[in-house]
Amino acid sequence: RKEVEQDPGPFNVPEGATVAFNCTYSNSASQSFFWYRQDCRKEPKLLMSVYSSGNEDGRFTAQLNRASQYISLLIRDSKLSDSATYLCVVTRPGNQFYFGTGTSLTVIP
Amino acid sequence: EAGVVQSPRYKIIEKKQPVAFWCNPISGHNTLYWYLQNLGQGPELLIRYENEEAVDDSQLPKDRFSAERLKGVDSTLKIQPAELGDSAVYLCASSFMGETQYFGPGTRLLVL
């Protein structure tokens, strides 16, 4: 079983829509959680960390459910510039990072 | 502050040829990672360094891949000989004490 699993999509949504991505992880010892964004032919860049209490950054909300071992990312009022691949990342003690395969989002005018 | 630097950005070689990639992490970052990324996939770890020590190279195909980080700063990843299936993007990332990873722009390798 993979450490991190994501629905690869693609998700095609109209501008202004709300879209949610989920990610599950297999190891209950996982320590830290992140969402990264990767634009076409670019490197992954940190979008936001994910905390147990949930956290929000503008139109983006991330949540963590440790009991069910899943992470979510909600994007409200989608913009064309949100089109990218969103990578779920989970860490384990010892600086081990595990990446999901990414979920592709295209926001349509 | 300068980010993670990688070179070259692109490389085209014929199969069976050697190739090397270079990475300079963010200053002060003790952990350095080399990843391979294929189209439509997430990054897959090849090797992780803590300072100059390779602490996780379990996914590195050691028959043809090698890496070094001699002074605990910059690092080189080598493939010899390259195979067609090695065509991918090779990403270097660094972090401080296992906190947020920062990626370089990657080297896009095409093996013909």
Side-chain angles (χ1 to χ4, degrees):
Chain A
R1 186 181 171 189
K2 288 186 177 180
E3 288 279 340
V4 181
E5 301 215 41
Q6 287 184 255
D7 179 350
F11 285 69
N12 299 314
V13 302
E15 269 187 292
T18 295
V19 62
F21 308 136
N22 290 324
C23 163
T24 59
Y25 60 95
S26 61
N27 196 309
S28 59
S30 297
Q31 194 171 39
S32 301
F33 308 88
F34 306 92
W35 283 102
Y36 275 68
R37 170 190 170 131
Q38 186 170 25
D39 292 292
C40 188
R41 303 179 73 85
K42 298 286 189 181
E43 72 272 24
K45 292 185 178 178
L46 178 67
L47 177 66
M48 58 198 303
S49 302
V50 188
Y51 305 115
S52 297
S53 55
N55 48 303
E56 189 173 306
D57 182 2
R59 298 180 293 107
F60 298 81
T61 301
Q63 291 195 314
L64 166 64
N65 184 319
R66 282 191 182 271
S68 301
Q69 295 182 199
Y70 81 78
I71 308 151
S72 64
L73 177 67
L74 183 78
I75 306 175
R76 292 181 300 278
D77 187 24
S78 299
K79 310 292 185 191
L80 297 177
S81 57
D82 294 333
S83 297
T85 295
Y86 291 84
L87 295 160
C88 175
V89 183
V90 169
T91 76
R92 279 208 257 148
N95 304 340
Q96 301 176 74
F97 282 68
Y98 297 91
F99 287 77
T101 55
T103 298
S104 173
L105 171 67
T106 301
V107 181
I108 304 164
Chain B
E1 178 182 301
V4 178
V5 179
Q6 287 189 249
S7 68
R9 293 292 308 277
Y10 304 92
K11 190 74 177 179
I12 301 174
I13 60 171
E14 293 188 346
K15 63 180 180 182
K16 300 185 182 179
Q17 294 300 305
V19 64
F21 314 127
W22 178 80
C23 172
N24 192 27
I26 292 173
S27 178
H29 281 195
N30 60 316
T31 308
L32 184 147
Y33 309 76
W34 281 104
Y35 291 93
L36 176 155
Q37 187 174 27
N38 286 303
L39 191 64
Q41 300 294 317
E44 298 173 19
L45 182 71
L46 290 170
I47 190 168
R48 173 167 59 92
Y49 283 93
E50 299 288 347
N51 301 302
E52 66 275 9
E53 183 183 359
V55 296
D56 184 355
D57 62 357
S58 58
Q59 301 302 311
L60 189 73
K62 297 181 185 63
D63 57 336
R64 298 184 301 108
F65 286 64
S66 64
E68 59 183 17
R69 193 185 185 199
L70 293 176
K71 296 183 179 178
V73 181
D74 57 343
S75 175
T76 302
L77 177 69
K78 297 179 181 177
I79 309 175
Q80 182 170 12
E83 297 179 351
L84 296 177
D86 296 331
S87 296
V89 177
Y90 291 82
L91 292 163
C92 179
S94 70
S95 70
F96 177 70
M97 302 300 287
E99 295 180 353
T100 307
Q101 280 193 346
Y102 295 89
F103 283 85
T107 296
R108 195 169 297 272
L109 174 67
L110 179 60
V111 182
L112 302 175

